């Protein structure tokens, strides 16, 4: 008899005990020990619990969507120069300075493609003098690109050592030279400085 009374006393106490299913912090002012969540909050909480994919197909779909969103953010960052979402090879003050250094000046290498087309057309014309001029132009263009790239690399290395003495500068020169080979309007991230402007 004593046991049954103890069970009866425990049963109502268990019924009155608040069921705390929410992960919200307890509000001591609320009569139930916590405020009743709004419908939107409860739905958001249920969604976050149900957000874990149950099947392989759902996991793959979610990964694809996340990858697509990340690529879109990266594409916008390449257009705007937003450092947060740039690819790893473009991030950091050293790489930014290298980009600005290249974009602020005229580079012989950026005119390589248009000049190559002109030289190719001249070499296809079956006139001996024009073919000789085309061959000479090839040599002149290559020598100019090599000299200009060497001067740019030397100047950039000097400025990087002055401005960023304690930072990792590995690969910055090669990065800048590869950028100088691209035509200005096709460069990514987009140039943030005008020609002649000091970076």
């Amino acid at each position: 008899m004593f046991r049954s009374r103890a069970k009866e006393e425990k049963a109502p106490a268990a019924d009155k005990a608040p069921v705390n299913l929410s992960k919200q912090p307890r509000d001591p002012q609320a009569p139930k020990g916590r405020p009743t969540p709004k419908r939107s909050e409860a739905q958001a909480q249920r969604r976050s619990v149900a957000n874990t994919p149950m099947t392989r197909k759902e996991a793959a779909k979610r990964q694809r969507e996340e990858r697509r969103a990340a690529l879109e953010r990266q594409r916008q960052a390449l257009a705007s120069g937003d450092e947060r979402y740039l690819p790893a090879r473009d991030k950091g003050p050293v790489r930014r300075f290298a980009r600005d250094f290249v974009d602020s000046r005229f580079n012989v290498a950026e005119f390589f493609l248009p000049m190559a087309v002109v030289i190719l057309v001249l070499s296809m014309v079956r006139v001996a003098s024009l073919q000789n001029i085309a061959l000479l132009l090839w040599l002149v263009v290559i020598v100019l690109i090599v000299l200009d790239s060497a001067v740019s690399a030397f100047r950039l290395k000097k400025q990087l050592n002055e401005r960023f003495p304690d930072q990792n500068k590995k690969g910055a020169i090669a990065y800048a030279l590869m950028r100088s080979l691209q035509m200005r309007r096709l460069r990514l991230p987009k140039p943030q400085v005008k020609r002649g402007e000091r970076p």
Side-chain angles (χ1 to χ4, degrees):
M1 194 174 253
F2 181 77
R3 284 180 75 177
S4 62
R5 191 181 300 154
K7 284 181 183 175
E8 285 170 12
E9 286 172 4
K10 285 180 183 175
D15 290 340
K16 289 176 187 174
V19 180
N20 192 6
L21 297 174
S22 173
K23 291 185 180 178
Q24 294 179 354
R26 182 186 165 114
D27 183 6
Q29 304 292 327
K32 290 188 297 184
R34 65 181 172 84
T36 303
K38 292 180 183 176
R39 179 179 287 182
S40 59
E41 290 173 5
Q43 286 174 345
Q45 195 172 10
R46 280 199 298 273
R47 272 194 219 106
S48 68
V49 171
N51 220 6
T52 309
M54 302 303 289
T55 64
R56 221 164 123 189
K57 191 175 179 181
E58 287 174 0
K61 185 181 177 184
R62 189 170 160 197
Q63 260 185 340
R64 276 198 305 274
E65 286 171 1
E66 287 173 358
R67 197 179 307 122
R68 195 177 295 123
L71 286 171
E72 179 59 26
R73 280 198 307 268
Q74 199 176 89
R75 188 186 65 76
Q76 289 174 355
L78 286 169
S80 65
D82 187 355
E83 286 277 337
R84 293 173 298 169
Y85 303 115
L86 285 176
R89 69 182 176 87
D90 298 311
K91 277 186 178 176
V94 173
R95 296 296 169 105
R96 184 179 180 88
F97 180 80
R99 286 197 302 273
D100 292 346
F101 179 85
V102 170
D103 296 336
S104 66
R105 61 193 298 274
F106 282 97
N107 302 284
V108 178
E110 70 183 281
F111 302 108
F112 174 73
L113 281 177
M115 288 189 289
V117 171
V118 171
I119 293 167
L120 192 63
V121 168
L122 286 174
S123 64
M124 288 172 71
V125 177
R126 297 194 174 187
V127 177
S129 59
L130 285 177
Q131 287 180 340
N132 288 336
I133 290 169
L135 187 63
L136 187 64
L137 279 173
W138 268 122
L139 291 170
V140 169
V141 166
I142 290 167
V143 168
L144 283 174
I145 288 172
V146 169
L147 287 173
D148 185 53
S149 297
V151 170
S152 297
F154 177 76
R155 287 177 59 202
L156 177 60
K157 188 175 182 180
K158 186 180 176 184
Q159 290 199 28
L160 285 174
N161 288 332
E162 286 172 5
R163 291 186 184 223
F164 309 100
D166 301 326
Q167 293 195 36
N168 183 18
K169 297 175 281 293
K170 187 177 180 182
I173 306 294
Y175 174 77
L177 292 178
M178 287 301 293
R179 188 173 176 85
S180 71
L181 286 168
Q182 300 167 336
M183 294 175 73
R184 185 181 168 87
R185 66 178 63 182
L186 301 177
R187 291 174 186 166
L188 288 174
K190 296 280 185 192
Q192 302 294 312
V193 294
K194 294 177 182 177
R195 290 195 196 272
E197 189 180 330
R198 288 178 67 86

